[in-house]
Amino acid sequence: MPGVNLIGAYGEWASQIAPDPPRLSFRKPGWASLEAWRTQARTRYRDALLQPATGGTPNATIQHHIDFDGLAIEHMTWQLPYGPPTEALLLKPAGATGKLPAVLALHDHGGNKYFGTRKITRTTKDPHPLMIAHQERYYGGVAWANELARRGYVVLVPDAFTFGSRRVRTGDIPANITNGLTEQDPESPDEIQRYNTFASNHEHIMSKSLFSAGTTWPGVFTGEDQRALDYLCARPDVDATRVGCGGLSGGGLRTVYLTGLDPRIRCSACAGMMTTWRDYLLNKSSNHTWMVYIPGLPNDLDYPEIMGLNAPNPVLVLNNHEDQLFTVPEMERADRILSEVYRKAGAADRYRMKFYPGPHKFDRDMQAEAFQWFDRWLK
């Protein structure tokens, strides 16, 4: 594609490597059966992820119960076959009885790996000051997982791979990589900032190491998110036929990938993470985490078509017009792609995309739309 792009003279050539539409696109005229397409395309997607073994349904240990702001909150941990224990929060209305609809709430990336669940939850009147600022910047000053739980949902928020309790500890890797960073006062803002700088610079090492191990970063976090989904669906207070997922940014990425992978997700809301492979290739890979990329998959499916693998289950996409992580033309093209998939699937009313004014965020207006979407399809 002519013009200025991230790889210069190689951009036009690279943009033509993957066919348009890709080989397994449902938009191609050869596909008449939604089920036949989904079976073949999802198999290809699953193969490309190269998921490692992540165990079975986690055996969660409840660390403590919290009653806060009308919610019953459980702080829990579970141990996967590798790495440190995963911490998670489960929130539901205090006094709720019977089986409730549920949402797996997926926290963002935000260049902040020190925190995980705390980015979208609140369990005290005095949260960490960096989380107050984080929620002001991205979420309209509220913890959206709490807000959703108050509407009558069981909401599970686990730490993602390399975030929060699952973060890489500097004491476990060579000092020349950490530039001497050690944990002295982990909760101090200065040390958190230094840790997050280290973690950003460590992403290419993690990604290349995972490739060398025979897996991919999306393969790891989708597997871990599926284990969290196993736990959520197995709870006696959850109606496993009414389970959704959602998130902003890195949480939106996880929403796209989990929605495409797992049919137990009956409804999805992706905020601030919808574009095309072409946008990443030519314009925006410099703005994004290594968590995005699945080698070889663009030949077979465009990025929005991953989310389309769960059609006819409902999908909501919320974008921001001034979001610097994407270009508006490619966000609009992603909308056309998903619209075409859902129309062909006979489920046009189960897909919606909306642009909001402003930068990268999932503010209160966007949350209201997402919550109404969940209410429509999960209640």
Side-chain angles (χ1 to χ4, degrees):
M1 182 168 292
V4 175
N5 65 81
L6 292 175
I7 56 175
Y10 298 106
E12 181 175 5
W13 159 76
S15 69
Q16 297 174 12
I17 293 175
D20 184 21
R23 290 185 298 227
L24 293 179
S25 172
F26 191 51
R27 295 173 290 144
K28 297 183 77 169
W31 292 107
S33 165
L34 175 64
E35 185 60 36
W37 167 72
R38 183 170 50 232
T39 299
Q40 185 170 339
R42 184 176 274 158
T43 297
R44 169 64 184 122
Y45 169 47
R46 187 178 295 115
D47 289 346
L49 285 171
L50 297 170
Q51 285 186 321
T54 50
T57 301
N59 182 18
T61 299
I62 308 301
Q63 301 297 314
H64 53 268
H65 295 266
I66 304 164
D67 291 317
F68 177 72
D69 201 17
L71 296 174
I73 303 174
E74 298 174 12
H75 174 219
M76 66 186 67
T77 64
W78 59 71
Q79 182 63 59
L80 294 169
Y82 52 89
T86 299
E87 293 190 17
L89 290 174
L90 184 130
L91 311 91
K92 66 179 183 178
T97 59
K99 290 181 177 291
L100 300 176
V103 171
L104 186 61
L106 304 170
H107 67 72
D108 58 84
H109 184 299
N112 190 337
K113 287 207 172 77
Y114 181 81
F115 293 98
T117 62
R118 285 190 278 177
K119 294 178 178 181
I120 62 172
T121 61
R122 191 166 292 190
T123 61
T124 172
K125 293 181 179 179
D126 299 304
H128 196 287
L130 291 181
M131 291 298 90
I132 295 175
H134 189 84
Q135 290 175 5
E136 286 288 345
R137 178 177 181 181
Y138 293 113
Y139 299 112
V142 297
W144 75 261
N146 293 53
E147 300 299 308
L148 181 59
R150 262 192 286 276
R151 295 173 71 100
Y153 292 86
V154 176
V155 180
L156 179 63
V157 190
D159 282 337
F161 177 68
T162 72
F163 289 83
S165 59
R166 301 279 290 153
R167 70 187 185 275
V168 174
R169 299 301 178 94
T170 56
D172 294 337
I173 59 179
N176 66 305
I177 293 175
T178 67
N179 291 322
L181 178 64
T182 59
E183 288 194 12
Q184 302 294 329
D185 183 12
E187 289 281 295
S188 73
D190 287 345
E191 189 164 319
I192 289 170
Q193 182 177 358
R194 291 196 298 274
Y195 178 82
N196 286 331
T197 298
F198 149 76
S200 177
N201 294 331
H202 190 255
E203 279 212 350
H204 73 101
I205 296 173
M206 176 61 76
S207 189
K208 289 184 285 189
S209 296
L210 292 172
F211 289 149
S212 299
T215 186
T216 66
W217 202 323
V220 177
F221 72 68
T222 56
E224 295 195 8
D225 286 341
Q226 284 187 293
R227 301 294 74 76
L229 186 62
D230 288 345
Y231 171 77
L232 184 61
C233 290
R235 283 182 61 101
D237 54 356
V238 167
D239 181 348
T241 68
R242 296 186 291 156
V243 175
C245 71
L248 165 70
S249 196
L253 173 71
R254 293 162 64 199
T255 295
V256 170
Y257 286 176
L258 183 62
T259 297
L261 186 62
D262 202 308
R264 291 176 295 177
I265 297 297
R266 303 300 178 92
C267 178
S268 307
C270 168
M273 201 65 199
M274 181 50 65
T275 189
T276 64
W277 290 128
R278 186 167 72 188
D279 206 12
Y280 292 122
L281 163 64
L282 296 176
N283 308 312
K284 295 297 182 177
S285 65
S286 59
N287 297 67
H288 289 278
T289 170
W290 282 75
M291 290 172 60
V292 171
Y293 306 103
I294 306 173
L297 189 62
N299 290 308
D300 297 295
L301 294 168
D302 207 331
Y303 174 81
E305 292 176 309
I306 298 170
M307 206 170 195
L309 287 170
N310 212 17
N313 286 336
V315 162
L316 173 69
V317 173
L318 302 174
N319 293 324
N320 293 285
H321 262 123
E322 289 75 49
D323 195 329
Q324 294 300 306
L325 295 183
F326 314 99
T327 65
V328 170
E330 291 303 312
M331 286 191 283
E332 292 174 339
R333 193 165 77 90
D335 174 44
R336 293 194 296 272
I337 289 171
L338 267 172
S339 293
E340 186 173 346
V341 168
Y342 269 77
R343 280 198 306 271
K344 188 171 180 179
D349 64 323
R350 292 173 175 242
Y351 169 68
R352 182 192 301 167
M353 191 282 291
K354 184 173 180 179
F355 274 98
Y356 283 79
H360 189 66
K361 61 176 171 36
F362 182 38
D363 62 19
R364 295 193 191 201
D365 288 342
M366 299 169 76
Q367 290 168 37
E369 179 149 0
F371 297 167
Q372 290 166 10
W373 187 255
F374 285 133
D375 286 350
R376 177 181 176 185
W377 298 107
L378 295 181
K379 285 188 173 181

